[in-house]
Amino acid sequence: MNIIVAQSGGPTSVINSSLAGVISAGIENDFDKIYLSLHGIEGIINDEIAEVDKDKYASENIKAKLMARPSSILGSCRFKLPANFDDEVYKKIFETLKAYQISTFVYIGGNDSMDTVMKLNNYMKDNNIADINIMGCPKTIDNDLMGMDHSPGFGSAAKYIGTTLRTLRTDVDIFDLKSVTFVEIMGRHAGWLAASALSANYGMDKDVVNFVYLPEDRKSLDQVFDEIKEALKYENNLIVALAEGFRDKDNKLDEERFSNQNDAFGHKIVSGVASRLADLVRNKLEIKSRAVELSIVQRTSNLISKTDADEAYQLGFMAAKLGIDNTNLVPVLKRKDKNEYEVYYESVSPDKIANNEMKIPETWLKDRKTLENEIIKYTLPLIKGEVEQVYENSLPVFVNLKDFII
Amino acid sequence: MNIIVAQSGGPTSVINSSLAGVISAGIENDFDKIYLSLHGIEGIINDEIAEVDKDKYASENIKAKLMARPSSILGSCRFKLPANFDDEVYKKIFETLKAYQISTFVYIGGNDSMDTVMKLNNYMKDNNIADINIMGCPKTIDNDLMGMDHSPGFGSAAKYIGTTLRTLRTDVDIFDLKSVTFVEIMGRHAGWLAASALSANYGMDKDVVNFVYLPEDRKSLDQVFDEIKEALKYENNLIVALAEGFRDKDNKLDEERFSNQNDAFGHKIVSGVASRLADLVRNKLEIKSRAVELSIVQRTSNLISKTDADEAYQLGFMAAKLGIDNTNLVPVLKRKDKNEYEVYYESVSPDKIANNEMKIPETWLKDRKTLENEIIKYTLPLIKGEVEQVYENSLPVFVNLKDFII
């Protein structure tokens, strides 16, 4: 029998490590053919499917090359399966899976993708399809997947953010004046990545990051101004790590206000919360203030945490293995409750993860020092080590799909 | 006698390599004391001056640590000396230089700083001061300094940009739709850094960067739309490298229009040209379009070109040496006209550099292919090699001033 794998949702720096895990498990468990669906589930719907060349995969050390290659090499999609099982798309999907003699299908993705996995499993139950196992393999930089200690992709993004903030600190300190730099970090509903910026403070004489504002901890604009004003009495140049989803308590920063604005050409202005706060602080406190958006660069950096990549690989391997064992569970990461960092793997039903969001624990939000201590303990092990990169002419080169398909 | 050094203007990733060059030259040439002026010339005006601990500098390998540390470790300033030599500030500066028994003063900076060097030299001529030599040591990421082949700082910024674009390409390609990503890169009047983004195309099967728009090559918005529309027939996802100073021929993007806009709080909207073009393309062509601003992160990355750092060190060393030789010239980099990259050093009068800007040669702007060939030949040698970084807990750590002063 054959195995197929696809990648879905937003990319991460280690999503190809999970792919390598699935392929390696496919080879070790003697699947006849290992198929790759392009652009997530859409590849199965539209019959855009490639096949792994097992010899090339082994001889050219594609596993290591995939682990060094950020962003979904199979492409991705944002396709949501309809609630109605009578929809043609379900028939099409299972026709393709049967045509390719698939017994195991691994879908690497976030909570939306787990919704797809859940629906496909429910469809199979309703239609008495028992010879296919459809598994999810979790990923997201946002770290908001329920049922697990942390999400693969988070560690590498946090490593990029911590590194960038360390260098940014050397930059913002140079002028002898008062300034505030707002750094906008991904995270709409959960502030894990913005909070992880506090890791940059670890072991430093002077704070790299002075404040963190999170979606989980709404403050009024007055509170923000007061905190900043007070801190500027003791520090010249502040860095504020800001989750893109931070909004003030009184909704003065709400979407409505801003999306009603048009630019000079009559188009909506899409501006981030960092630049809004930078404008406000500049005007209110009459000091230098600027916004830095880490943008999509933060999610697919080639500065990849080795710990993160290894864990993502294990999850991919386990997902394939769970399919072989005839289950439809999703492998998840758990952390042992002891001083030295160690993970173990469990498996849960996809509905535990689908359409849900893990927030920063409320007890961590007591004050900045508590949050800093907790997030450092949590994050530092996840950013450990670097995946070695290949350079040509002093620029990174990455493996291509054509390097290991038939 | 003693030597003093200061850093001025915007930071670069190798500005401390030049500082290391000055300090090493100071030690090798038996200066009694090596002084560091904090915040550029302001340190001399306000008597904020530190002294290098020569023993620590040698025993703790501070030279290597400075070369791995981005951004002006001495701090910086944007101070412009007045045109009137009767101004008190000149008296103050030379009083301090005499009090510290300075015979050589090296000012590391860009074209504004060379204006300072020039004025101080003219003041000395007018006032018959002959026992002090004041030298400039050039730096800028913008690569717009006249009189030299390239500027220290440019190579490392170009390396960061090329690396970031290679990873960004893996990100923008994942969805099966049409999209344009505008990447805003530093450069207000000269587009060297934006053009250097084309280096990312070198040796690739598929272009990483599809278009470059430069301040030196103004196009109409219609031209921009037409080029993008045409390219989208053959490519799904385009990346456009955009100099922050790019403006359209017909001034539809001009500052005036935008600076008249106010946000919801009545404050001016400071938005970049990338997000403006992304808005326009999204509305005009009805496709996905977004802006990525590389922001100040691009100028002080710890991804440092070894070639760039070595050259910056040499220029610092030479600047000090030129002072010892009783000149007031500025050392500059030249490139030998041969296939293999090799530089040589010359020295020029600071007025050759001050208040001037080097643009991309017009012959390079004939078409994209010409620009790509020329800029690749020009840039690739400058990004060669990496300066080794020190990590603790998987995050970079940098040397501090207190590690090597008395």
Side-chain angles (χ1 to χ4, degrees):
Chain A
M1 294 297 283
N2 306 324
I3 184 170
I4 194 164
V5 54
Q7 295 171 323
S8 179
T12 80
S13 287
V14 299
I15 194 165
N16 298 320
S17 294
S18 290
L19 173 63
V22 176
I23 297 174
S24 295
I27 293 172
E28 285 183 31
N29 290 282
D30 297 324
F31 278 96
D32 295 325
K33 289 169 189 291
I34 299 161
Y35 290 114
L36 310 169
S37 171
L38 307 182
H39 299 293
I41 190 80
E42 289 179 355
I44 293 175
I45 297 167
N46 304 324
D47 201 358
E48 288 176 29
I49 290 170
E51 186 189 339
V52 172
D53 185 324
K54 292 183 193 173
D55 293 335
K56 275 192 200 162
Y57 183 82
S59 66
E60 290 176 32
N61 199 12
I62 301 295
K63 177 190 156 182
K65 289 177 184 168
L66 278 174
M67 291 178 78
R69 200 261 192 210
S71 189
S72 327
I73 195 169
L74 304 181
S76 187
C77 70
R78 296 257 186 217
F79 187 84
K80 203 171 167 71
L81 280 175
N84 179 8
F85 286 166
D86 292 335
D87 196 286
E88 273 301 299
V89 76
Y90 286 97
K91 231 177 93 183
K92 185 74 200 74
I93 288 169
F94 285 93
E95 272 172 14
T96 306
L97 294 176
K98 269 173 199 162
Y100 282 85
Q101 298 184 283
I102 301 299
S103 65
T104 295
F105 168 24
V106 178
Y107 207 37
I108 306 168
N111 39 25
D112 287 340
S113 312
M114 295 308 136
D115 177 75
T116 299
V117 170
M118 199 174 67
K119 280 182 179 145
L120 292 175
N121 274 302
N122 289 340
Y123 178 89
M124 288 197 290
K125 218 180 287 170
D126 283 13
N127 291 274
N128 295 313
I129 302 172
D131 51 352
I132 301 177
N133 299 294
I134 301 183
M135 339 292 312
C137 176
K139 71 89 206 147
T140 178
I141 65 160
D142 294 329
N143 202 46
D144 59 355
L145 295 182
M146 289 296 283
M148 46 202 312
D149 179 73
H150 58 278
S151 310
F154 170 71
S156 295
K159 188 182 183 78
Y160 173 83
I161 291 165
T163 300
T164 303
L165 283 165
R166 284 267 171 103
T167 62
L168 202 64
R169 171 50 76 186
T170 69
D171 191 311
V172 305
D173 274 345
I174 64 171
F175 293 114
D176 189 18
L177 44 75
K178 300 281 176 191
S179 79
V180 184
T181 302
F182 290 93
V183 182
E184 187 165 318
I185 294 170
M186 281 184 166
R188 287 188 189 176
H189 307 116
W192 291 100
L193 278 178
S196 81
L198 289 169
S199 308
N201 291 352
Y202 186 69
M204 304 294 278
D205 293 340
K206 200 188 137 197
D207 282 344
V208 170
V209 173
N210 302 96
F211 293 105
V212 169
Y213 295 125
L214 306 171
E216 291 96 332
D217 189 17
R218 297 181 77 153
K219 301 189 172 196
S220 70
L221 284 182
D222 283 340
Q223 267 178 288
V224 171
F225 295 143
D226 286 348
E227 284 186 339
I228 286 173
K229 221 169 138 180
E230 179 63 21
L232 283 170
K233 288 182 190 165
Y234 313 99
E235 289 286 342
N236 263 351
N237 303 289
L238 303 178
I239 292 182
V240 179
L242 198 63
E244 60 180 333
F246 171 75
R247 294 295 178 270
D248 67 302
K249 226 182 222 167
D250 312 318
N251 284 310
K252 288 188 180 166
L253 287 173
D254 67 3
E255 308 291 346
E256 195 62 47
R257 258 169 200 260
F258 282 88
S259 59
N260 282 339
Q261 295 293 311
N262 289 321
D263 69 14
F265 296 85
H267 309 117
K268 275 186 186 167
I269 292 167
V270 186
S271 86
V273 63
S275 66
R276 292 179 223 171
L277 274 175
D279 286 345
L280 287 173
V281 163
R282 192 180 311 114
N283 284 280
K284 183 96 176 170
L285 306 183
E286 292 186 335
I287 54 159
K288 181 174 179 173
S289 180
R290 66 186 150 197
V292 171
E293 279 186 40
L294 296 188
S295 80
I296 54 171
V297 172
Q298 72 197 282
R299 70 182 183 187
T300 48
S301 167
N302 70 332
L303 180 60
I304 301 176
S305 154
K306 185 156 188 332
T307 302
D308 191 21
D310 287 343
E311 291 174 354
Y313 175 88
Q314 284 304 327
L315 285 169
F317 196 98
M318 269 199 70
K321 202 74 183 53
L322 286 167
I324 297 161
D325 297 344
N326 218 18
T327 75
N328 62 1
L329 300 172
V330 177
V332 294
L333 277 165
K334 300 275 188 178
R335 187 191 303 232
K336 289 189 182 164
D337 188 18
K338 55 181 215 172
N339 269 340
E340 212 174 321
Y341 177 73
E342 200 182 328
V343 290
Y344 62 101
Y345 297 84
E346 284 189 346
S347 44
V348 301
S349 168
D351 61 329
K352 289 267 181 289
I353 302 176
N355 309 317
N356 232 325
E357 279 170 341
M358 179 171 82
K359 305 284 173 74
I360 295 177
E362 222 180 290
T363 52
W364 294 18
L365 301 173
K366 213 181 88 196
D367 51 44
R368 205 209 80 171
K369 209 64 213 165
T370 306
L371 179 63
E372 180 166 320
N373 291 339
E374 293 290 350
I375 200 79
I376 284 176
K377 209 161 52 182
Y378 179 85
T379 307
L380 279 188
L382 312 181
I383 68 172
K384 201 172 172 188
E386 291 84 44
V387 171
E388 214 177 303
Q389 294 288 317
V390 178
Y391 295 90
E392 281 172 19
N393 298 293
S394 296
L395 289 175
V397 286
F398 304 117
V399 66
N400 290 307
L401 199 56
K402 67 172 175 46
D403 298 333
F404 63 99
I405 60 172
I406 286 167
Chain B
M1 292 299 282
N2 305 324
I3 185 170
I4 194 165
V5 54
Q7 295 172 323
S8 178
T12 81
S13 288
V14 298
I15 195 166
N16 298 321
S17 295
S18 291
L19 173 63
V22 176
I23 297 174
S24 296
I27 292 172
E28 285 184 31
N29 289 281
D30 298 322
F31 278 95
D32 295 323
K33 288 167 189 293
I34 298 162
Y35 289 113
L36 311 169
S37 170
L38 307 182
H39 300 294
I41 189 82
E42 290 179 354
I44 293 174
I45 297 168
N46 305 324
D47 201 358
E48 289 177 29
I49 291 170
E51 186 189 338
V52 172
D53 185 323
K54 292 183 193 174
D55 293 335
K56 276 193 200 161
Y57 183 82
S59 66
E60 290 176 33
N61 200 10
I62 301 295
K63 178 189 157 183
K65 289 177 183 167
L66 279 173
M67 291 178 78
R69 201 263 191 207
S71 189
S72 326
I73 195 169
L74 304 182
S76 187
C77 70
R78 296 259 187 217
F79 188 85
K80 204 170 165 70
L81 279 175
N84 178 7
F85 285 167
D86 293 333
D87 196 287
E88 275 300 299
V89 77
Y90 286 97
K91 229 176 99 184
K92 185 77 200 73
I93 289 170
F94 284 93
E95 272 171 14
T96 307
L97 294 177
K98 270 175 198 159
Y100 282 85
Q101 297 183 284
I102 302 298
S103 65
T104 295
F105 167 24
V106 178
Y107 207 39
I108 306 169
N111 38 26
D112 287 340
S113 313
M114 295 308 136
D115 177 76
T116 300
V117 171
M118 199 174 69
K119 281 183 180 144
L120 292 176
N121 274 301
N122 289 339
Y123 178 88
M124 287 197 292
K125 217 179 289 168
D126 282 13
N127 290 272
N128 297 312
I129 301 172
D131 51 352
I132 301 176
N133 298 293
I134 301 183
M135 339 290 314
C137 176
K139 71 86 207 154
T140 177
I141 65 160
D142 294 330
N143 203 45
D144 60 354
L145 296 182
M146 290 296 283
M148 46 202 312
D149 179 74
H150 58 279
S151 310
F154 169 71
S156 296
K159 188 182 184 79
Y160 173 83
I161 290 165
T163 299
T164 303
L165 283 164
R166 284 268 172 102
T167 62
L168 202 63
R169 170 51 75 186
T170 70
D171 191 312
V172 305
D173 274 345
I174 64 171
F175 293 114
D176 189 18
L177 45 74
K178 301 281 178 191
S179 78
V180 185
T181 302
F182 291 93
V183 182
E184 188 165 319
I185 295 169
M186 282 184 166
R188 289 190 185 173
H189 306 116
W192 291 100
L193 278 177
S196 82
L198 288 168
S199 307
N201 290 352
Y202 186 70
M204 305 294 278
D205 293 341
K206 200 188 137 198
D207 282 344
V208 170
V209 174
N210 302 96
F211 293 105
V212 168
Y213 295 125
L214 306 171
E216 291 96 332
D217 190 19
R218 297 180 77 151
K219 301 188 171 196
S220 70
L221 285 182
D222 284 339
Q223 266 178 287
V224 171
F225 295 143
D226 287 349
E227 284 187 338
I228 286 173
K229 220 169 138 181
E230 179 64 20
L232 284 169
K233 288 182 188 163
Y234 313 99
E235 290 286 340
N236 263 351
N237 303 290
L238 303 179
I239 291 182
V240 179
L242 198 63
E244 60 181 334
F246 171 76
R247 294 295 177 271
D248 67 302
K249 224 182 222 166
D250 312 319
N251 284 311
K252 287 186 180 167
L253 288 173
D254 67 3
E255 308 293 345
E256 197 61 49
R257 258 169 199 258
F258 283 87
S259 59
N260 282 339
Q261 295 292 312
N262 289 322
D263 69 14
F265 296 84
H267 310 118
K268 276 186 185 169
I269 293 167
V270 185
S271 86
V273 63
S275 65
R276 293 178 221 171
L277 274 174
D279 286 345
L280 287 172
V281 162
R282 191 180 311 114
N283 284 281
K284 183 95 176 172
L285 307 183
E286 292 184 338
I287 54 161
K288 181 175 178 173
S289 180
R290 68 187 148 195
V292 171
E293 279 186 42
L294 296 189
S295 78
I296 55 170
V297 172
Q298 72 196 284
R299 69 182 182 187
T300 47
S301 167
N302 68 333
L303 180 61
I304 301 176
S305 155
K306 185 156 188 332
T307 302
D308 192 20
D310 287 343
E311 291 174 354
Y313 175 88
Q314 284 304 328
L315 285 169
F317 197 98
M318 268 198 71
K321 201 74 182 58
L322 285 166
I324 297 160
D325 297 344
N326 217 17
T327 74
N328 62 1
L329 299 173
V330 177
V332 294
L333 276 164
K334 301 275 186 176
R335 187 190 304 231
K336 288 189 182 164
D337 188 16
K338 56 182 213 172
N339 269 340
E340 213 173 323
Y341 176 73
E342 201 183 326
V343 290
Y344 62 101
Y345 297 84
E346 284 189 346
S347 44
V348 301
S349 168
D351 61 332
K352 290 266 180 289
I353 302 176
N355 308 316
N356 232 324
E357 279 171 341
M358 180 171 82
K359 304 284 173 71
I360 295 177
E362 222 180 291
T363 52
W364 293 19
L365 301 172
K366 214 182 88 196
D367 49 47
R368 205 210 79 170
K369 210 63 213 164
T370 306
L371 179 63
E372 180 166 321
N373 290 339
E374 295 289 350
I375 200 79
I376 284 175
K377 210 161 53 182
Y378 178 86
T379 308
L380 279 188
L382 312 182
I383 68 172
K384 200 170 174 190
E386 290 86 43
V387 171
E388 214 176 304
Q389 293 289 317
V390 177
Y391 295 90
E392 280 172 21
N393 299 291
S394 294
L395 289 176
V397 285
F398 305 117
V399 66
N400 289 307
L401 198 55
K402 67 173 173 46
D403 298 334
F404 64 99
I405 59 173
I406 286 168

